[in-house]
Amino acid sequence: MKKKWYDYLWIGELLYWVLGLCNILFAWLGMLFFTIPLLVALIGGSKAYCNRYCGRGQLLSLLGQKLSRNAPPPRFLRTRWFRYSFLAFFMVMFGLMLRSTYMVFAGAPLRQAVTLLWVFKLPWNWAQVDMVAPWIAQFAFGFYGVMLTSTVLGLVTMALFRPRSWCVYCPMGTMTQGVCMLKQKKEDGGCGGEGQKDCGAAAASRQ
Amino acid sequence: MALSKRLARVGRECVACGTCMKVCPRSAIRVVSGVIARVDGMLCVGCGRCAKVCPADVIGIVERGEEA
Protein backbone atom coordinates (compact mmCIF):
# COMPACT_ATOMS: atom_id res chain seq x y z
CA MET A 1 0.00 0.00 0.00
CA LYS A 2 1.38 3.40 -1.01
CA LYS A 3 2.29 5.55 1.95
CA LYS A 4 0.68 8.94 2.40
CA TRP A 5 2.22 12.04 3.94
CA TYR A 6 0.46 11.43 7.24
CA ASP A 7 2.10 8.04 7.58
CA TYR A 8 5.27 9.90 8.50
CA LEU A 9 3.87 11.91 11.40
CA TRP A 10 5.77 9.66 13.80
CA ILE A 11 8.79 11.79 12.84
CA GLY A 12 6.99 14.77 14.40
CA GLU A 13 6.60 12.80 17.62
CA LEU A 14 10.33 12.01 17.70
CA LEU A 15 11.13 15.62 16.87
CA TYR A 16 9.00 16.76 19.79
CA TRP A 17 11.15 14.77 22.23
CA VAL A 18 14.41 15.95 20.72
CA LEU A 19 13.33 19.59 20.70
CA GLY A 20 12.11 19.28 24.28
CA LEU A 21 15.46 17.89 25.36
CA CYS A 22 17.21 20.80 23.65
CA ASN A 23 14.90 23.39 25.15
CA ILE A 24 12.03 22.55 27.49
CA LEU A 25 9.97 25.43 26.11
CA PHE A 26 9.27 23.31 23.02
CA ALA A 27 7.05 21.24 25.33
CA TRP A 28 4.36 23.81 24.59
CA LEU A 29 4.09 22.29 21.11
CA GLY A 30 2.51 19.28 22.81
CA MET A 31 -0.64 21.35 23.20
CA LEU A 32 -1.22 20.56 19.52
CA PHE A 33 -1.52 16.87 20.44
CA PHE A 34 -4.25 17.84 22.91
CA THR A 35 -6.21 20.39 20.96
CA ILE A 36 -6.22 18.92 17.43
CA PRO A 37 -7.89 15.59 18.35
CA LEU A 38 -10.47 17.43 20.43
CA LEU A 39 -11.26 19.90 17.66
CA VAL A 40 -11.52 17.08 15.11
CA ALA A 41 -13.96 15.27 17.39
CA LEU A 42 -15.94 18.38 18.32
CA ILE A 43 -16.18 19.82 14.81
CA GLY A 44 -15.85 16.78 12.58
CA GLY A 45 -17.45 14.23 14.90
CA SER A 46 -14.77 11.64 14.17
CA LYS A 47 -11.62 10.07 15.52
CA ALA A 48 -9.70 10.85 12.34
CA TYR A 49 -6.77 12.04 14.44
CA CYS A 50 -6.44 8.65 16.18
CA ASN A 51 -7.20 6.76 13.00
CA ARG A 52 -4.72 8.54 10.74
CA TYR A 53 -2.71 11.37 12.19
CA CYS A 54 -1.51 10.26 15.62
CA GLY A 55 2.28 10.29 15.52
CA ARG A 56 2.54 8.49 18.82
CA GLY A 57 0.34 5.63 17.63
CA GLN A 58 2.44 5.33 14.48
CA LEU A 59 5.65 5.33 16.48
CA LEU A 60 4.32 2.61 18.79
CA SER A 61 3.29 0.57 15.75
CA LEU A 62 6.75 0.88 14.26
CA LEU A 63 8.60 0.07 17.47
CA GLY A 64 6.15 -2.72 18.22
CA GLN A 65 7.11 -4.58 15.06
CA LYS A 66 10.37 -5.48 16.79
CA LEU A 67 9.76 -4.94 20.48
CA SER A 68 6.20 -6.08 21.21
CA ARG A 69 5.19 -9.48 22.57
CA ASN A 70 1.98 -9.10 20.54
CA ALA A 71 -0.02 -10.60 23.36
CA PRO A 72 -3.68 -9.74 23.92
CA PRO A 73 -4.01 -7.09 26.64
CA PRO A 74 -5.86 -7.84 29.88
CA ARG A 75 -9.58 -7.41 29.54
CA PHE A 76 -9.90 -4.68 32.18
CA LEU A 77 -7.85 -2.32 30.01
CA ARG A 78 -10.69 -1.93 27.51
CA THR A 79 -13.53 -1.70 29.99
CA ARG A 80 -15.37 1.56 30.15
CA TRP A 81 -14.81 2.02 33.88
CA PHE A 82 -11.06 1.67 33.56
CA ARG A 83 -10.77 3.94 30.53
CA TYR A 84 -12.88 6.70 32.03
CA SER A 85 -11.22 6.33 35.44
CA PHE A 86 -7.82 6.70 33.81
CA LEU A 87 -9.08 9.73 31.91
CA ALA A 88 -10.33 11.25 35.18
CA PHE A 89 -7.03 10.50 36.89
CA PHE A 90 -5.12 12.05 34.03
CA MET A 91 -7.29 15.15 34.12
CA VAL A 92 -6.73 15.54 37.87
CA MET A 93 -2.98 15.31 37.33
CA PHE A 94 -3.25 17.83 34.50
CA GLY A 95 -5.21 20.11 36.81
CA LEU A 96 -2.51 19.85 39.48
CA MET A 97 0.06 20.77 36.84
CA LEU A 98 -1.99 23.83 35.93
CA ARG A 99 -2.21 24.69 39.62
CA SER A 100 1.56 24.63 40.04
CA THR A 101 1.81 26.83 36.93
CA TYR A 102 -0.56 29.30 38.57
CA MET A 103 1.45 29.19 41.82
CA VAL A 104 4.57 30.23 39.91
CA PHE A 105 2.56 32.94 38.16
CA ALA A 106 1.52 34.17 41.61
CA GLY A 107 5.12 34.38 42.81
CA ALA A 108 6.24 30.89 43.88
CA PRO A 109 9.74 29.88 42.73
CA LEU A 110 10.20 27.95 39.48
CA ARG A 111 10.88 24.24 39.93
CA GLN A 112 13.24 23.04 37.23
CA ALA A 113 12.24 19.38 37.17
CA VAL A 114 10.21 17.06 34.97
CA THR A 115 7.95 14.68 36.87
CA LEU A 116 7.84 11.14 35.51
CA LEU A 117 4.96 8.80 36.37
CA TRP A 118 3.57 11.44 38.76
CA VAL A 119 6.20 10.61 41.37
CA PHE A 120 9.78 10.75 40.13
CA LYS A 121 11.32 14.20 39.80
CA LEU A 122 13.94 14.31 37.07
CA PRO A 123 16.31 17.28 37.51
CA TRP A 124 16.32 19.44 34.38
CA ASN A 125 18.88 22.06 35.31
CA TRP A 126 20.34 22.53 31.84
CA ALA A 127 17.15 24.14 30.56
CA GLN A 128 17.51 27.72 29.33
CA VAL A 129 14.30 29.41 30.36
CA ASP A 130 15.46 32.93 31.21
CA MET A 131 13.91 34.42 28.09
CA VAL A 132 10.32 33.81 29.23
CA ALA A 133 8.20 34.45 32.31
CA PRO A 134 8.69 31.74 34.99
CA TRP A 135 5.10 30.49 34.73
CA ILE A 136 5.56 29.80 31.01
CA ALA A 137 8.61 27.70 31.83
CA GLN A 138 6.78 25.96 34.69
CA PHE A 139 3.99 24.92 32.35
CA ALA A 140 6.58 23.57 29.92
CA PHE A 141 8.21 21.45 32.65
CA GLY A 142 4.83 20.16 33.78
CA PHE A 143 3.57 19.45 30.30
CA TYR A 144 6.74 17.68 29.24
CA GLY A 145 6.27 15.49 32.32
CA VAL A 146 2.70 14.65 31.28
CA MET A 147 3.85 13.76 27.77
CA LEU A 148 6.83 11.76 29.05
CA THR A 149 4.67 9.83 31.51
CA SER A 150 2.13 8.88 28.87
CA THR A 151 4.89 7.90 26.46
CA VAL A 152 6.55 5.64 29.04
CA LEU A 153 3.19 3.99 29.77
CA GLY A 154 2.65 3.59 26.03
CA LEU A 155 6.07 1.99 25.58
CA VAL A 156 5.57 -0.41 28.49
CA THR A 157 2.17 -1.61 27.26
CA MET A 158 3.54 -1.74 23.70
CA ALA A 159 6.24 -4.15 24.87
CA LEU A 160 3.96 -6.23 27.09
CA PHE A 161 0.89 -6.45 24.88
CA ARG A 162 0.13 -5.30 21.33
CA PRO A 163 1.97 -2.37 19.74
CA ARG A 164 -0.87 0.14 20.02
CA SER A 165 -2.14 -0.97 23.45
CA TRP A 166 -1.75 2.63 24.60
CA CYS A 167 -4.61 3.55 22.25
CA VAL A 168 -6.97 1.42 24.35
CA TYR A 169 -6.65 3.65 27.42
CA CYS A 170 -5.19 6.84 25.93
CA PRO A 171 -7.05 9.68 27.69
CA MET A 172 -7.34 11.67 24.47
CA GLY A 173 -8.74 8.66 22.64
CA THR A 174 -11.26 8.03 25.40
CA MET A 175 -12.25 11.68 25.49
CA THR A 176 -12.66 12.01 21.72
CA GLN A 177 -14.65 8.79 21.51
CA GLY A 178 -16.87 10.12 24.30
CA VAL A 179 -17.36 13.37 22.38
CA CYS A 180 -18.21 11.43 19.20
CA MET A 181 -20.70 9.28 21.11
CA LEU A 182 -22.40 12.34 22.54
CA LYS A 183 -22.54 13.99 19.12
CA GLN A 184 -23.93 10.81 17.60
CA LYS A 185 -26.49 10.48 20.33
CA LYS A 186 -27.61 14.03 19.74
CA GLU A 187 -27.83 13.59 15.96
CA ASP A 188 -29.60 10.24 16.18
CA GLY A 189 -31.92 11.41 18.92
CA GLY A 190 -30.67 8.73 21.31
CA CYS A 191 -29.62 6.21 18.64
CA GLY A 192 -32.93 4.44 18.50
CA GLY A 193 -33.53 4.71 22.20
CA GLU A 194 -31.39 1.75 23.13
CA GLY A 195 -28.60 3.69 24.72
CA GLN A 196 -25.06 4.68 23.90
CA LYS A 197 -23.96 1.21 22.89
CA ASP A 198 -26.04 1.34 19.71
CA CYS A 199 -24.75 4.68 18.48
CA GLY A 200 -22.16 3.05 16.20
CA ALA A 201 -24.74 0.74 14.70
CA ALA A 202 -27.06 3.65 14.06
CA ALA A 203 -24.26 5.57 12.38
CA ALA A 204 -23.27 2.57 10.28
CA SER A 205 -26.77 1.93 9.06
CA ARG A 206 -27.13 5.58 8.06
CA GLN A 207 -24.03 5.55 5.81
CA MET B 1 -17.33 -13.33 -6.27
CA ALA B 2 -18.56 -15.82 -3.67
CA LEU B 3 -18.62 -14.68 -0.07
CA SER B 4 -16.12 -16.20 2.35
CA LYS B 5 -17.33 -18.61 5.01
CA ARG B 6 -15.95 -16.50 7.82
CA LEU B 7 -15.78 -12.82 8.58
CA ALA B 8 -14.65 -10.40 11.26
CA ARG B 9 -16.93 -9.27 14.07
CA VAL B 10 -16.22 -6.23 16.23
CA GLY B 11 -17.12 -6.28 19.91
CA ARG B 12 -18.92 -3.47 21.71
CA GLU B 13 -15.80 -2.48 23.63
CA CYS B 14 -14.09 -1.25 20.44
CA VAL B 15 -12.08 1.91 21.18
CA ALA B 16 -12.27 3.18 17.58
CA CYS B 17 -8.50 3.58 17.28
CA GLY B 18 -8.51 2.55 13.61
CA THR B 19 -5.57 0.14 13.80
CA CYS B 20 -7.68 -2.49 12.03
CA MET B 21 -8.40 -0.21 9.06
CA LYS B 22 -4.72 0.09 8.26
CA VAL B 23 -4.12 -3.63 7.87
CA CYS B 24 -7.30 -4.69 6.08
CA PRO B 25 -6.32 -5.75 2.55
CA ARG B 26 -9.87 -5.19 1.27
CA SER B 27 -10.76 -1.97 3.12
CA ALA B 28 -13.63 -3.90 4.63
CA ILE B 29 -13.42 -2.39 8.09
CA ARG B 30 -13.68 1.25 9.08
CA VAL B 31 -14.38 3.38 12.08
CA VAL B 32 -17.86 4.87 11.92
CA SER B 33 -18.35 8.37 13.32
CA GLY B 34 -15.48 7.96 15.79
CA VAL B 35 -17.51 5.50 17.84
CA ILE B 36 -16.89 1.93 16.70
CA ALA B 37 -15.33 -0.05 13.86
CA ARG B 38 -17.76 -1.75 11.51
CA VAL B 39 -17.17 -4.57 9.05
CA ASP B 40 -18.59 -4.59 5.54
CA GLY B 41 -19.75 -8.19 5.25
CA MET B 42 -19.68 -8.06 1.47
CA LEU B 43 -15.99 -7.18 1.41
CA CYS B 44 -14.59 -9.05 4.42
CA VAL B 45 -12.87 -12.35 3.60
CA GLY B 46 -12.24 -13.31 7.22
CA CYS B 47 -8.45 -13.24 6.90
CA GLY B 48 -8.09 -12.21 10.55
CA ARG B 49 -5.44 -9.53 10.10
CA CYS B 50 -7.60 -6.99 11.90
CA ALA B 51 -8.11 -9.40 14.82
CA LYS B 52 -4.37 -9.93 15.17
CA VAL B 53 -3.54 -6.23 15.45
CA CYS B 54 -6.55 -5.01 17.43
CA PRO B 55 -4.97 -3.50 20.57
CA ALA B 56 -8.19 -3.95 22.53
CA ASP B 57 -8.59 -7.54 21.36
CA VAL B 58 -12.25 -7.01 20.52
CA ILE B 59 -12.28 -8.40 16.97
CA GLY B 60 -13.14 -12.03 16.44
CA ILE B 61 -13.42 -14.16 13.30
CA VAL B 62 -16.77 -15.94 13.16
CA GLU B 63 -18.77 -18.08 10.77
CA ARG B 64 -20.91 -16.02 8.41
CA GLY B 65 -24.38 -15.74 9.89
CA GLU B 66 -23.09 -15.65 13.46
CA GLU B 67 -21.84 -12.08 13.21
CA ALA B 68 -25.04 -10.39 14.28
Side-chain angles (χ1 to χ4, degrees):
Chain A
M1 203 182 293
K2 199 185 170 201
K3 291 211 171 192
K4 304 252 173 49
W5 65 269
Y6 50 74
D7 291 319
Y8 298 95
L9 287 171
W10 57 272
I11 298 170
E13 177 77 11
L14 277 182
L15 202 60
Y16 176 75
W17 294 113
V18 174
L19 288 173
L21 280 171
C22 295
N23 192 322
I24 194 74
L25 295 176
F26 282 109
W28 274 86
L29 287 175
M31 285 300 286
L32 294 173
F33 305 141
F34 270 45
T35 48
I36 294 174
L38 259 184
L39 288 175
V40 169
L42 284 167
I43 299 166
S46 82
K47 279 188 66 167
Y49 183 86
C50 297
N51 300 162
R52 278 197 193 135
Y53 308 110
C54 178
R56 173 174 300 186
Q58 291 175 10
L59 190 61
L60 290 172
S61 286
L62 282 173
L63 294 174
Q65 287 174 9
K66 295 277 181 202
L67 304 174
S68 176
R69 286 171 63 227
N70 265 310
R75 196 181 173 283
F76 77 87
L77 213 60
R78 64 175 189 251
T79 56
R80 193 166 285 178
W81 72 263
F82 177 78
R83 294 176 65 216
Y84 281 97
S85 301
F86 189 71
L87 169 63
F89 173 71
F90 223 86
M91 294 307 286
V92 168
M93 289 300 161
F94 191 78
L96 289 175
M97 187 269 283
L98 290 179
R99 183 175 166 270
S100 59
T101 301
Y102 175 75
M103 299 291 273
V104 172
F105 176 76
L110 173 69
R111 281 175 292 176
Q112 292 210 179
V114 168
T115 309
L116 176 64
L117 294 167
W118 308 287
V119 179
F120 307 106
K121 306 265 183 217
L122 310 177
W124 219 267
N125 296 321
W126 67 85
Q128 294 291 317
V129 292
D130 304 337
M131 69 281 265
V132 295
W135 71 269
I136 293 176
Q138 189 63 60
F139 181 86
F141 282 114
F143 201 76
Y144 204 66
V146 169
M147 297 297 282
L148 193 61
T149 297
S150 55
T151 302
V152 167
L153 289 175
L155 288 171
V156 169
T157 46
M158 174 272 286
L160 288 176
F161 312 118
R162 287 185 177 153
R164 287 186 68 155
S165 296
W166 166 251
C167 302
V168 179
Y169 62 103
C170 165
M172 289 312 298
T174 306
M175 201 188 309
T176 51
Q177 191 181 23
V179 168
C180 290
M181 279 177 173
L182 289 175
K183 272 184 83 88
Q184 205 60 66
K185 204 171 180 179
K186 201 173 166 190
E187 284 171 21
D188 293 339
C191 308
E194 288 190 46
Q196 214 173 52
K197 64 184 181 186
D198 290 320
C199 292
S205 62
R206 203 179 47 240
Q207 291 186 7
Chain B
M1 198 172 81
L3 293 176
S4 62
K5 285 184 180 170
R6 286 147 58 91
L7 82 168
R9 180 173 67 181
V10 182
R12 292 201 186 282
E13 285 174 323
C14 171
V15 298
C17 65
T19 310
C20 49
M21 297 197 304
K22 291 184 182 142
V23 297
C24 180
R26 311 241 316 156
S27 303
I29 189 164
R30 65 197 175 97
V31 174
V32 180
S33 304
V35 177
I36 194 168
R38 287 282 165 194
V39 178
D40 184 335
M42 300 302 284
L43 294 175
C44 181
V45 291
C47 68
R49 288 189 201 184
C50 51
K52 276 184 193 154
V53 299
C54 176
D57 198 31
V58 294
I59 304 179
I61 303 298
V62 297
E63 295 293 324
R64 203 169 275 276
E66 289 177 8
E67 72 273 20

